[in-house]
Amino acid sequence: MSPLRRRTFLVLAGGLGSMAGSGVFAGRAAASVINGELLTSRIELPEPFSVPLPAAPFAKAVRQADGSDRFEVVQRAADVEILPGVRTRVWGFDGLFPGPVFTGQAGRPVVVSVRNELPVPTSMHLHGGVTPPDSDGYPTDLVVPAGWQHHDAMAGGHHDAPAAGRQLTELTKEYRYPLDQRAATLWYHDHRMDFTAPQVWRGLLGLFVVRDSAELALPLPSGERDLPLLICDRAFDEDGDFRYPSLDPELIDPPGVEDAYMAGVVGDVVLVNGAPWPELEVDAARYRLRLLNGSNARRYRLALRPGPRDGAAFTQIGSDAGLLAEPVELDAVPIAPGERYDVVVDFSAWPVGSTVTLVNTLGDGDTRWVMRFRVVREAADDSEVPARLADPDELSQDQAVAHRQFSFRRTRTSHGGHAWTINGESFDPETTLATTSLGSVERWRFISDVHHPVHLHLAHFQVVARGGGDPHPWDGGWKDTVDVRPKEPVDVLVRFRGYPGRYILHCHNLEHEDMAMMGNFQVE
């Protein structure tokens, strides 16, 4: 048994065997829709809607030269106010939680220089980016602190990592993003082998917005009415720091979480842009909401209460990888970890003076609430949602040169334990699940035992079938992450464009990912 597989067996064997009987897969809120166990806070929490929505901080380029934009950020610990009057230690990009919003122009390269001043290695992944493999944030392509002395414990005791292509860069790495892709709401987060979940939980995540001339020419809401909303859940300890059930709080060795949380960690506080259940004053006008589920394991079904006087609550205009061809009217937005939805809400559909609450219909207790909008004034509004938004390529079945199936499920090991696997295998950097050709299209089927949000690096795809029938209305457009429901196969047409190299697909329940629910695919 390889060191990695030995690590996976040791972590999983103790806890997963009893999960089905204990109800851990379902959590305590909604048995058929929530994966994970609720982690409760040990500190007094604020009343919902008692703090304002923070304005998202935008990163500023330090240099523009040679047709590219250069940004510099430092990953460091900082004490920030999340709960009112309380300081929380975070690991953040520039010490911020969440990190700054990067913006780029399609076709104009961006270089992000990342300096790691944390006590552990990191790996930055641009989720949704069409990125060369050396800048993609592969789990063993690590930026290590100066003088890092834990090489033997790297990646949870993965001693054969050098043979598997481990790359170590001391202190600072330049990530190069060509941005040869359409306008879209992307995001970035840590992707360190075995420790992605706790490092993202501590704050290593943020939004990355790509714009292009075609989108800018549309009369969509803009400026202060174009709102990035990063939604995630957390739990807090008595001292105000984040609470998380790591086996090693220092995040060195061993990796993993306490047995009860192996199905995923869900917190009891919902944060938007780093604030608990915030409130925002809005005009009676259209707003563009860029929704990201940045949670480790929690799924949301977002709705507005009360609903508008007429029509649907949301007009979806975009998906993970860019604008839809045409807008879609939705009364609710189901959003799994890693997914993004670009929607327009017209607040003139409520009387001035109204309060409109963004709720999570999958939540329980205070996790039912996300944030509140207060419609405070009439205002001029020259925005609109065109009947035609974009002309994205539509893939067809006859373009597929191969069909493949990937089964995401809990698998019994030969040693009597259980593991999170893809096609019965735990992640091994030396093993490839699929080899494909640059520029090709393939049909991939994802099947699962419980909810698994499946994410592909590099490649974007279109959902063509769900459960043997048509996709859901919200499945449209180009995507990089899709919620695969229990016993509901999802078929996608994947296009491999961009760059040759080694990439991964994985479950974006981050606890599942850390317990090796990943696999390599090779683009040649």
Side-chain angles (χ1 to χ4, degrees):
M1 186 186 299
S2 74
L4 178 61
R5 296 192 182 201
R6 184 161 55 249
R7 182 268 303 169
T8 302
F9 167 72
L10 290 172
V11 170
L12 294 182
L16 276 176
S18 61
M19 279 185 171
S22 68
V24 172
F25 280 127
R28 289 182 167 81
S32 64
V33 294
I34 300 295
N35 283 352
E37 184 70 7
L38 181 66
L39 186 69
T40 57
S41 296
R42 294 171 171 169
I43 191 172
E44 184 176 354
L45 300 174
E47 291 292 324
F49 322 126
S50 59
V51 300
L53 176 75
F58 282 81
K60 295 183 179 179
V62 298
R63 187 167 68 249
Q64 295 176 317
D66 302 322
S68 65
D69 297 326
R70 179 183 177 86
F71 296 85
E72 295 178 355
V73 292
V74 178
Q75 297 171 324
R76 60 182 176 86
D79 295 321
V80 303
E81 182 173 311
I82 298 174
L83 304 179
V86 178
R87 307 300 288 183
T88 298
R89 174 58 58 98
V90 304
W91 289 0
F93 290 85
D94 286 342
L96 300 174
F97 175 78
V101 179
F102 292 95
T103 56
Q105 182 72 21
R108 181 180 175 87
V110 163
V111 178
V112 180
S113 174
V114 176
R115 180 181 176 88
N116 180 8
E117 295 185 357
L118 296 170
V120 298
T122 64
S123 181
M124 179 175 169
H125 170 55
L126 180 58
H127 183 124
V130 180
T131 305
D134 59 355
S135 290
D136 187 56
Y138 190 81
T140 58
D141 185 357
L142 301 170
V143 184
V144 301
W148 173 253
Q149 297 297 314
H150 299 280
H151 294 180
D152 287 343
M154 186 72 68
H158 189 66
H159 302 292
D160 61 349
R166 187 181 74 183
Q167 299 292 322
L168 302 182
T169 303
E170 187 171 69
L171 197 57
T172 301
K173 177 181 174 69
E174 289 189 347
Y175 291 87
R176 299 180 180 276
Y177 304 128
L179 299 189
D180 182 18
Q181 57 191 108
R182 302 167 57 227
T185 302
L186 312 181
W187 67 300
Y188 61 96
H189 59 82
D190 185 67
H191 217 300
R192 177 192 170 197
M193 181 82 163
D194 298 345
F195 293 95
T196 295
Q199 294 189 184
V200 171
W201 188 273
R202 292 190 186 190
L204 293 176
L205 75 167
L207 281 159
F208 194 119
V209 176
V210 181
R211 305 184 188 277
D212 64 21
S213 57
E215 182 194 49
L216 291 172
L218 297 174
L220 297 170
S222 60
E224 294 183 351
R225 295 178 186 166
D226 183 349
L227 294 177
L229 298 178
L230 192 161
I231 303 169
C232 61
D233 59 336
R234 296 291 186 268
F236 293 83
D237 227 323
E238 297 98 332
D239 60 0
D241 281 349
F242 289 134
R243 185 182 177 209
Y244 187 84
S246 292
L247 293 178
D248 175 18
E250 301 301 319
L251 305 189
I252 296 174
D253 197 48
V257 293
E258 298 169 9
D259 285 358
Y261 298 93
M262 287 182 179
V265 180
V266 294
D268 61 351
V269 180
V270 177
L271 305 173
V272 184
N273 293 354
W277 305 290
E279 182 177 80
L280 177 68
E281 293 185 351
V282 295
D283 299 331
R286 295 181 188 87
Y287 281 72
R288 178 178 185 172
L289 310 182
R290 299 175 182 265
L291 303 170
L292 160 66
N293 182 352
S295 299
N296 280 30
R298 183 180 290 279
R299 298 170 61 255
Y300 302 82
R301 185 176 182 271
L302 302 176
L304 295 174
R305 297 289 186 269
R309 289 174 291 193
D310 298 299
F314 304 101
T315 300
Q316 185 188 357
I317 60 172
S319 188
D320 296 336
L323 292 176
L324 306 178
E326 299 173 348
V328 176
E329 301 295 315
L330 299 173
D331 287 317
V333 176
I335 183 167
E339 287 188 301
R340 286 89 66 211
Y341 283 86
D342 205 340
V343 301
V344 172
V345 175
D346 187 354
F347 287 106
S348 69
W350 289 267
V352 171
S354 299
T355 56
V356 183
T357 304
L358 184 65
V359 302
N360 170 29
T361 64
L362 303 183
D364 186 47
D366 283 344
T367 64
R368 294 172 297 173
W369 318 121
V370 178
M371 67 173 294
R372 177 170 288 173
F373 301 95
R374 188 176 295 276
V375 185
V376 296
R377 66 185 72 86
E378 299 284 352
D381 184 8
D382 59 0
S383 71
E384 61 180 277
V385 179
R388 187 71 182 178
L389 294 163
D391 294 303
D393 295 338
E394 296 290 339
L395 301 180
S396 62
Q397 173 57 40
D398 58 11
Q399 293 176 268
V401 297
H403 292 222
R404 305 181 195 269
Q405 179 168 291
F406 300 91
S407 176
F408 290 74
R409 61 182 64 247
R410 186 175 61 115
T411 302
R412 182 174 295 277
T413 70
S414 59
H415 299 272
H418 291 81
W420 294 115
T421 64
I422 302 177
N423 290 351
E425 298 291 333
S426 296
F427 179 60
D428 185 336
E430 294 184 317
T431 300
T432 298
L433 297 182
T435 299
T436 187
S437 300
L438 190 65
S440 68
V441 174
E442 296 190 359
R443 185 176 179 123
W444 286 12
R445 169 170 287 188
F446 306 128
I447 59 176
S448 68
D449 49 1
V450 296
H451 281 275
H452 294 295
V454 175
H455 171 53
L456 274 61
H457 287 215
L458 178 77
H460 297 161
F461 55 80
Q462 295 173 358
V463 180
V464 294
R466 185 181 280 276
D470 292 334
H472 293 310
W474 51 83
D475 282 328
W478 283 96
K479 294 180 63 61
D480 55 60
T481 308
V482 64
D483 189 18
V484 183
R485 305 180 180 197
K487 300 179 181 179
E488 184 183 63
V490 174
D491 291 84
V492 301
L493 289 174
V494 191
R495 183 170 66 185
F496 300 92
R497 62 172 297 272
Y499 306 93
R502 179 181 60 170
Y503 295 90
I504 56 174
L505 70 156
H506 62 85
C507 176
H508 221 283
N509 177 318
L510 297 185
E511 283 72 37
H512 294 186
E513 174 187 333
D514 279 351
M515 289 183 282
M517 201 173 218
M518 295 193 293
N520 289 314
F521 65 91
Q522 183 74 26
V523 181
E524 297 182 341

